[in-house]
Amino acid sequence: MYDTWFAAMADDPDMPTPEEVHAIKEFIDGQTTADRAAKRCTSRISLEEMNPDPTLIWGLLEALAVEYPDTQDQVVELLVAIKRLPNPIRDGKEHKISSERTFSDLGYFRADFYDFFTGLKYADPDSLHYGSKFPVLTRWARVNALSARLTTNFLQDFRNYAVETIEDALDEKNLKESRTREFFLPAAANQIIFGSYPLWNLRNDSEVKEYMDAILEWNRWREAFGKLAENAEISPETRAILRQAVTAMETVAQDPEKDDWQAKLVQYQMSRRAARES
């Protein structure tokens, strides 16, 4: 299914080597495990003498997850496997990229993803295409689903992206016109559908409490999306995904696993802090 796309990536000098691309393709095709694919697609990087740099791998996985959103769970699984790899040692210390360890912190992934994410956000929604066969509004919704999945699985903490996307969608100026509604609303819904645990737990984060009332905002979002889901001026497809978001918000409140997520978040934050200080 993905043969043509992966072949193009293997021929692209700005992408990983053909061997690394093939290792990722085999995992997506179900021919190998995430752990084996992680080792194979990073082995060259691990051996680089001066500056082990995984950013080409990050770029490929970001593009794959947005071009083919049905691969997003696998992309997340592969990134989790990469995080478990031993970090390259240089000068007796774990190698870092901008204070982030090469593999266990997904070195420079956050900065790379920011460029990818904002590039899609500020692309013109009137454009029929944006570097892809998929319309830009569809790609914006898809990258938000990916962002939420990355946060839910403790690969990065992109909750600020989620809040910003939701607020953009509910901004009156963006609700006035059909093209902006259809651009922003599906993206916001995806942040909730795939990131309900992180968003629910904003209320338990002491840093968040300093600048927003997360419980008040959660209730406002749920009410707003519920009303929009019944708005006949919005396309049936977007109303359907808004209803999914409302259902996710109602379901997570009764889900005991949401509390486990918060405990794991604290561990994740402590680990990242310790890595920066080491």
Side-chain angles (χ1 to χ4, degrees), residues 20 37-48 51-58 61 78-90 94-97 99-109 154-156 268 271-272 275:
E20 293 162 353
K39 291 178 182 177
R40 287 177 56 199
C41 74
T42 61
S43 60
R44 175 189 58 83
I45 297 165
S46 296
L47 295 174
E48 288 181 0
N51 184 32
D53 184 359
T55 52
L56 293 183
I57 298 292
W58 308 155
L61 294 176
L78 183 56
L79 286 167
V80 169
I82 291 174
K83 275 179 66 74
R84 291 195 294 260
L85 294 173
N87 294 302
I89 304 298
R90 299 295 180 270
E94 291 181 310
H95 179 263
K96 293 182 179 181
I97 305 173
S99 79
E100 296 174 331
R101 293 171 296 185
T102 310
F103 296 138
S104 58
D105 293 332
L106 301 181
Y108 208 71
F109 183 95
F154 305 102
L155 290 164
Q156 296 290 327
Y268 168 78
S271 173
R272 292 298 299 267

Side-chain angles (χ1 to χ4, degrees), residues 159 163 196-210 212-222 249 252-253 258-259 261-262 265:
R159 289 177 298 169
V163 172
S196 58
Y197 285 3
L199 289 171
W200 170 273
N201 277 291
L202 285 172
R203 66 191 64 196
N204 298 317
D205 192 312
S206 58
E207 295 181 4
V208 171
K209 291 178 182 178
E210 295 179 6
M212 70 179 284
D213 185 331
I215 297 177
L216 182 65
E217 292 303 297
W218 176 272
N219 292 334
R220 181 174 67 87
W221 297 340
R222 183 175 56 187
M249 297 182 85
V252 73
K258 68 180 184 298
D259 301 320
W261 190 92
Q262 177 62 23
L265 173 66

Side-chain angles (χ1 to χ4, degrees), residues 1 8 35 52 62 72 77 85 88 95 99 101 109 118 151 154 164 183 185 190 195 232 241 262 273:
M1 177 179 177
D35 287 335
E62 291 160 3
Q72 288 194 7
E77 184 181 355
L85 294 173
H95 179 263
S99 79
R101 293 171 296 185
F109 183 95
T118 54
T151 299
F154 305 102
E164 186 176 309
F183 181 77
L185 286 173
N190 275 343
I241 196 172
Q262 177 62 23
R273 193 176 299 115

